[in-house]
Amino acid sequence: MPAETTYLELSEDAGSSHKFYEVTVDGTDLTVRYGRIGDRGQVKQSSFTTVDKARAEAAKKIGEKVRKGYAPAVIGQRQPRSVTRRQIVSTRSTAKSAPVLWRYRSGSPAFGVFVDGDVCMVGNEAGLITTLNHRAEVQQQVRLPDGVKCIVADDGWIYAGCDDGNVYDLSGKVPRLAYRIAPEIDIYWLDIHDGVLGVSDANGGISAIDHEDQFLWQRPGRGTSAWMV
């Protein structure tokens, strides 16, 4: 029986989303490959007791991605996009206090802040995420279902941890659900690298979650309120 492969892409001209997702069923084996378009990506393999169970799991994964905006595509038709990495050079400041460049009223307490060479993003407890340029001019506003805890970036992707227990992808025109975190985990902070999400929570614990929303491991903390990962 030949292997069955489904290849999907999510790419937006006006956004930084430029990702692929490939699912292959070969007998009772299921292989998922994902990453940035043009890269080899990461591979996850699993086996099932029957071909039907492998196909059912593949259909489930494909359906989840289609609901997030992925669509069938042809490998190689879209070209890779370069990832710009800023070179940061810093020197010790001799000032007694840092100068205030500008102020912005977010409307409610804001914990989620992200700054790069182009924009500043502020997420507040009302779930509103505002994107400003470096002159404090509002460029865009989007709203999440609940308060924003933090905003982090991984290459060209930007993610926000939300009080509803989920992590949202902010790379496109509208937020997309990227990770479903266990409801018992109260997100305090997160970080992401190569598709692996690190989450610290209100109980002081740390969890690692892969691209398929599967927990890789969890470690309890001795204290509470783990803010950084």
Side-chain angles (χ1 to χ4, degrees):
M1 181 183 299
E4 303 169 1
T5 298
T6 300
Y7 179 79
L8 308 172
E9 289 183 349
L10 173 62
S11 181
E12 295 179 337
D13 294 336
S16 58
S17 293
H18 199 59
K19 302 176 280 189
F20 75 88
Y21 191 82
E22 182 184 76
V23 179
T24 299
V25 177
D26 188 359
T28 58
D29 295 329
L30 175 65
T31 302
V32 175
R33 188 170 66 91
Y34 58 91
R36 294 182 62 84
I37 293 174
D39 292 348
R40 170 59 186 167
Q42 299 186 63
V43 176
K44 181 179 179 181
Q45 296 177 315
S46 53
S47 296
F48 297 83
T49 55
T50 67
V51 174
D52 288 341
K53 288 184 178 180
R55 286 176 172 170
E57 182 64 19
K60 176 184 175 183
K61 293 180 180 298
I62 292 168
E64 290 174 349
K65 292 302 177 183
V66 169
R67 287 191 291 273
K68 291 181 180 180
Y70 284 74
V74 177
I75 297 177
Q77 195 170 58
R78 286 191 176 96
Q79 297 302 308
R81 292 179 184 171
S82 60
V83 177
T84 302
R85 300 182 185 275
R86 292 186 298 129
Q87 183 175 2
I88 300 175
V89 179
S90 62
T91 57
R92 181 182 294 274
S93 173
T94 58
K96 293 184 178 179
S97 61
V100 176
L101 301 179
W102 46 263
R103 289 184 172 89
Y104 172 74
R105 294 186 180 276
S106 66
S108 68
F111 293 105
V113 178
F114 170 78
V115 181
D116 67 6
D118 300 315
V119 299
C120 304
M121 301 181 74
V122 180
N124 65 21
E125 285 191 340
L128 183 67
I129 297 178
T130 302
T131 301
L132 308 99
N133 61 24
H134 287 187
R135 297 183 299 276
E137 298 167 339
V138 176
Q139 305 297 297
Q140 183 185 27
Q141 288 185 318
V142 296
R143 188 175 293 276
L144 298 186
D146 211 330
V148 179
K149 271 294 194 294
C150 53
I151 303 174
V152 298
D154 181 29
D155 286 341
W157 305 343
I158 302 176
Y159 298 91
C162 186
D163 281 340
D164 67 352
N166 295 319
V167 175
Y168 293 85
D169 181 358
L170 306 178
S171 304
K173 295 180 180 179
V174 296
R176 288 190 176 89
L177 178 62
Y179 295 84
R180 294 183 184 274
I181 311 302
E184 66 271 15
I185 293 182
D186 183 4
I187 298 174
Y188 262 36
W189 195 261
L190 58 88
D191 203 352
I192 188 165
H193 179 68
D194 287 340
V196 176
L197 185 73
V199 180
S200 61
D201 58 53
N203 294 322
I206 298 177
S207 305
I209 304 163
D210 69 10
H211 189 78
E212 295 299 311
D213 298 343
Q214 300 295 319
F215 278 86
L216 300 177
W217 51 263
Q218 290 180 276
R219 298 290 186 273
R222 296 183 178 180
T224 60
S225 305
W227 275 103
M228 305 297 287
V229 182

